Amino acid sequence: MTAVINPTGAAPVDPVGPEKSVARVRRGLTNPVSSGLALVIGVVWTIPTVGLLVQSFRSKSAQDSKGWWHFSGLTLDNYRVVTTGLHGDSSKSVLPFLVNSLAIVIPAAVIPIVVAALASYALVWIDFRGRDWIYVGIFALQVVPLQVAVVPLLRFVVSGAHLGSVTVIPKLGLAGTVGAVWLAHACFALPLAVFLMHNFMSEIPRDLLEAARIDGASHGQIFRQIMLPLLRPALAAFGIFQFLWVWNDLFVGLVMSGGNADISPITVKIAGLVGSTAGQGGEVVPAAAFVSIIIPVLVFMALQRYFVRGLLAGSVKG
Amino acid sequence: MHWLYDLAHSHKAGGKLMFAVIMVAGFLAVIGLLLLLIDRVPRRGREKVQGFLFLLPAIFLLGIGLIGPIFKTLLSSLTSAEVVKKLCVPRPGHVCLIDKGGAWNNFAHYKWAFTDSDSLQALGNTLRWVVIAPIVATVVGLAYAYAIDKIRGEAVAKALVFLPTAISFVGAAVIWGLMYQQPSQNGASGLVNALLKTIGLGPINFPTDSKHVTYWMIVVMIWIQAGFATVLLSAAIKAVPAEITEAAKIDGATEWQAFRRVTIPSIRPTLIVVLITISIATLKIFDLVQTFGADKYGGDTLANKMYTTYKQAGLGQAAGPLGEHRSSALAMIIFLLVIPFVIYQVRQMVKARAGT
């Protein structure tokens, strides 16, 4: 997954009017070259995933002797090994890591959304000097690669922030817990979250807010009672973004968990399985990988609308 | 607070999830208190203080998560590491510390990064990634978006190619590990090698092919990113008024000429957004290399080298956390490489804001 920030900040346009789309369909049916190209790319892009799905249901001997397209030796054993465990051995079970991923993804999605909504409210609706510069500054922070930020953040989680011998911020007690992982994700997601929220909030009519102000509503009340309900589409768009990003991340999970199996997300487990089963036991890897893939894929398919809307927010201009 | 500590360090599924829920609830409670506080700000200079309070949580998280770490990493990349005598046991009257670290060392870590053969290879590979992956993924996405723009079942066609976007790089590495599988003694083989065999080529042992492993991984990256390119470019193509391309064709332009001279210039801004976004992701490519284990076969990249160097902290030539300082230098190099792309994005955003 890529964190996407589109710089041009405009609303997505409704692309096709009805009469144009009729013309398009007519034109398309007469063009075999593009239909053929579409078919080839579509098939080539789908086959690898189908291969993994089929392979995950095949026994070790079948995997050893024939390619997956023979559909031979179908069994559920691989899935037993990676879920409940088989013959009392649950060392290859990925279920605990699914739980870890879930325990990471919930705070990692909620915290930056709320923090970014608060920040954008100030940046859009409260007048103070330099707010545009603060916004541009936050947007520009996406330049910081995780590689630069993650190790110092780990140090902070373990020992707090110090200037010389003075403790600026004490340690928060999150070391060795999933908190270390989601805190990192929450911080790193903020530039994108602020950008998306700022975009959506700028489109809310100013009159609405001014009317509320005249009626005597305070900023706190306006934020809770007017902004949050209106922001629902933005919250959904960012929520699915962040869910996919956190669920699929390996780097942050690997560094922040430090290899502690109690707090490692599922990607760390899968990557570990790939390495540790290179010689033997590799027959369960496709099943394990499929278990890890299926959740984001289902979420993605169910909420694709919001995801695409988030992607398009601003990228398509004329 | 013992119960909370126990919950945080729980080995059980229920405990972990409960901890997550409690943390979220606690966080929301803090935000609620903040909102109450905001409404009780005294009148003098009210807006300014309220604005600051709204920004406070973001400032805190950005401070500990991004701004602070930039300076720490920069400092660490420019200073010497602590060096301890090898196999020395600290005891009274005996100093194990050779260099207590933290001294300016004249870019020694950067010099290492640009002379060490392994890290030079990682740098070279990263440049290969950035030159190839974004362009090919964008071209494939553009071709596909244009091809399916006119056919029935366009939504399904788009979904098929978009699906890998939801799959993790780790998952993609497993999927392609299977595609690339070399023939086993018992006859099984990955699809790619099976196809190569039918046309009398191969087999290629892709993941350990030390000359080309980078390119085989770039194929996976393209597979992942093409869907993203397709979705954005497809929307851009639809935004081009059909009348313009029709008019070009009536004036005698071929399909290709209309595409080249009318469609491409119209969607240029989106093309650039797509290229830049994929380029930034590619510069930080880590998961694929790590899962493929390609660093052992000459397929290392900067981000992966940064991680392995960090992990070796204390095990390098000199004992001491040298690895962490060197990995900081590598991270700063990635930082420098990303900056031009983001400067472009920021300029576009400022321009767009000025325009509206």
Side-chain angles (χ1 to χ4, degrees), chain A residues 240 244 294-307, chain B residues 159-160 162-163 166:
Chain A
I240 176 171
L244 289 177
I294 193 68
I295 293 174
V297 165
L298 288 179
V299 169
F300 180 76
M301 292 201 296
L303 300 172
Q304 201 170 4
R305 228 155 32 96
Y306 297 100
F307 185 77
Chain B
L160 287 182
F162 200 28
L163 197 64

Side-chain angles (χ1 to χ4, degrees), chain A:
Chain A
M1 248 297 295
T2 326
V4 185
I5 299 188
N6 292 313
T8 47
V13 277
D14 183 30
V16 204
E19 73 285 349
K20 280 180 213 156
S21 59
V22 172
R24 269 171 212 284
V25 170
R26 212 181 44 233
R27 202 150 47 99
L29 292 176
T30 61
N31 193 339
V33 179
S34 46
S35 303
L37 179 68
L39 192 68
V40 169
I41 296 183
V43 168
V44 169
W45 249 250
T46 316
I47 280 181
T49 318
V50 173
L52 182 83
L53 177 62
V54 175
Q55 187 80 327
S56 71
F57 283 107
R58 299 175 72 221
S59 66
K60 176 175 163 50
S61 59
Q63 289 189 18
D64 276 348
S65 58
K66 279 182 175 148
W68 56 265
W69 52 94
H70 293 278
F71 292 91
S72 58
L74 298 179
T75 170
L76 283 174
D77 278 358
N78 300 329
Y79 280 95
R80 286 198 191 103
V81 172
V82 300
T83 54
T84 54
L86 199 60
H87 309 306
D89 171 23
S90 59
S91 64
K92 287 194 180 115
S93 173
V94 298
L95 289 186
F97 299 89
L98 273 184
V99 172
N100 292 347
S101 277
L102 207 58
I104 290 167
V105 90
I106 297 169
V110 174
I111 292 175
I113 287 179
V114 176
V115 170
L118 281 169
S120 319
Y121 181 86
L123 293 172
V124 176
W125 296 119
I126 301 181
D127 269 319
F128 56 92
R129 265 210 354 229
R131 64 174 187 176
D132 282 345
W133 285 110
I134 295 177
Y135 173 56
V136 172
I138 292 177
F139 179 79
L141 274 179
Q142 57 161 314
V143 73
V144 184
L146 301 179
Q147 282 78 13
V148 168
V150 77
V151 176
L153 186 57
L154 180 63
R155 290 268 169 278
F156 169 78
V157 168
V158 172
S159 60
H162 310 275
L163 262 181
S165 57
V166 184
T167 304
V168 184
I169 305 172
K171 56 182 175 186
L172 306 171
L174 291 175
T177 75
V178 284
V181 189
W182 56 245
L183 181 68
H185 281 300
C187 295
F188 300 154
L190 266 183
L192 172 71
V194 169
F195 173 73
L196 278 179
M197 292 293 159
H198 193 278
N199 264 358
F200 276 85
M201 233 180 261
S202 310
E203 279 161 28
I204 294 171
R206 194 153 202 119
D207 304 351
L208 192 67
L209 185 103
E210 270 156 15
R213 293 291 281 167
I214 290 168
D215 287 347
S218 64
H219 280 306
Q221 285 167 331
I222 295 175
F223 180 79
R224 268 194 317 269
Q225 288 161 15
I226 301 179
M227 285 300 158
L228 281 185
L230 283 175
L231 280 176
R232 225 174 289 149
L235 300 180
F238 177 76
I240 176 171
F241 245 88
Q242 178 72 350
F243 174 85
L244 289 177
W245 165 254
V246 173
W247 192 277
N248 289 337
D249 156 81
L250 175 68
F251 182 72
V252 176
L254 209 49
V255 175
M256 295 307 283
S257 72
N260 179 350
D262 266 333
I263 61 173
S264 296
I266 183 139
T267 43
V268 171
K269 175 67 176 175
I270 305 291
L273 267 183
V274 172
S276 68
T277 59
Q280 215 178 22
E283 72 274 6
V284 303
V285 172
F290 204 79
V291 170
S292 82
I293 288 171
I294 193 68
I295 293 174
V297 165
L298 288 179
V299 169
F300 180 76
M301 292 201 296
L303 300 172
Q304 201 170 4
R305 228 155 32 96
Y306 297 100
F307 185 77
V308 171
R309 205 179 290 162
L311 270 187
L312 292 183
S315 71
V316 182
K317 253 196 136 189

